[in-house]
Amino acid sequence: MKTRIVYEDRDILICHKPAGLATQSSSVGRPDVVSELKNYLSGGYVGIVHRLDQPVEGLLVFARHPRAAAALNRQLTEGMLGKRYCALVWGRPAAEEGEWTDYLRKEGNLSRVVLQETPGARRAVLRYRVRAREDIAAGRHTCLDIRIGTGRFHQIRCQLAHRGLPILGDQKYGTAESLEESRSLGIRYAALCACEIRLTHPATGREIFYEISPDWINY
């Protein structure tokens, strides 16, 4: 099983999804996290609460019964299910930290930054902070901590690329320079990781917190 389970009880599962594995695939016979978990649980209930893009790695929480799924989905809707991401980008933002608000529209399998009045535009809010200097190589790459106030399609990847900061390894939003650098570093997938998750346990009410380091951190 490619999916790594980091926490498990009778109500929830918290997993580390590797880059390149879909959360759930529509193709029969194609591996994905949900299929692996159902096999692991011998066909038991696996409730999807949130997803990660296929080329992105990170932490996901799944419910093991419908009551837990309903409780976790309420937390997600109310902004109580906290997530932090880290990304390795080509370039460096002008400020050490900041907040960006854009309007995104899904166009096929991509998101685009558009004007607010564009039909289908949805507001997207992203907050970032540059990580410690030792995480930055030769000034060409920057490691960012990221939190999002909205959950739009490809939001982080699109907003970063729009500001000239494409994520290394991102085949859809990268530039020729960022992709060439990715190849030289051996980064095959988007260097974006959902590295932290915080939630309230749906049965016990206690706070659950997990943090991981991305597989690409020591590139």
Side-chain angles (χ1 to χ4, degrees):
M1 187 166 77
K2 295 179 181 179
T3 302
R4 289 165 258 176
I5 296 173
V6 300
Y7 176 83
E8 175 184 8
D9 64 25
R10 64 184 181 182
D11 302 296
I12 65 172
L13 285 165
I14 299 177
C15 305
H16 180 175
K17 182 189 91 67
L21 184 67
T23 303
Q24 185 178 38
S25 175
S26 58
S27 302
V28 177
R30 189 173 182 179
D32 59 56
V33 176
V34 172
S35 297
E36 290 191 341
L37 292 180
K38 285 186 175 180
N39 287 336
Y40 172 74
L41 296 171
S42 301
Y45 180 92
V46 177
I48 299 173
V49 178
H50 57 128
R51 301 169 188 263
L52 289 171
D53 298 340
Q54 185 166 336
V56 176
E57 70 166 304
L59 293 169
L60 289 167
V61 60
F62 293 89
R64 293 194 59 182
H65 52 77
R67 292 189 309 281
L72 291 170
N73 275 297
R74 281 195 299 272
Q75 291 185 44
L76 184 67
T77 301
E78 295 169 2
M80 303 303 292
L81 200 159
K83 294 172 284 183
R84 178 174 63 85
Y85 300 81
C86 52
L88 188 65
V89 302
W90 173 257
R92 186 178 180 90
E96 293 293 296
E97 59 183 286
E99 180 175 297
W100 301 328
T101 298
D102 294 302
Y103 289 84
L104 307 185
R105 184 174 71 177
K106 186 175 182 292
E107 299 180 357
N109 63 352
L110 292 171
S111 271
R112 303 289 186 195
V113 175
V114 296
L115 297 176
Q116 181 178 354
E117 60 270 19
T118 304
R122 303 185 72 187
R123 184 170 176 266
V125 180
L126 178 152
R127 293 177 293 278
Y128 76 89
R129 179 180 62 84
V130 173
R131 291 183 58 152
R133 184 166 295 276
E134 58 264 28
D135 288 333
I136 302 166
R140 298 191 304 272
H141 325 131
T142 308
C143 195
L144 303 177
D145 279 333
I146 295 169
R147 296 183 188 273
I148 53 177
T150 49
R152 308 306 182 205
F153 179 73
H154 290 181
Q155 177 178 337
I156 297 173
R157 299 163 68 187
C158 179
Q159 287 191 274
L160 287 171
H162 179 68
R163 285 170 173 78
L165 299 166
I167 296 171
L168 291 182
D170 193 336
Q171 302 297 318
K172 287 190 175 181
Y173 295 91
T175 62
E177 292 87 354
S178 70
L179 293 174
E180 177 58 34
E181 186 71 6
S182 303
R183 284 189 288 271
S184 71
L185 294 171
I187 296 175
R188 298 175 52 225
Y189 297 105
L192 174 63
C193 177
C195 55
E196 180 183 301
I197 192 166
R198 187 186 302 271
L199 58 103
T200 299
H201 193 282
T204 67
R206 68 185 178 92
E207 183 178 74
I208 302 286
F209 172 81
Y210 276 93
E211 183 177 17
I212 58 171
S213 293
D215 292 338
W216 46 261
I217 199 69
N218 296 315
Y219 69 92

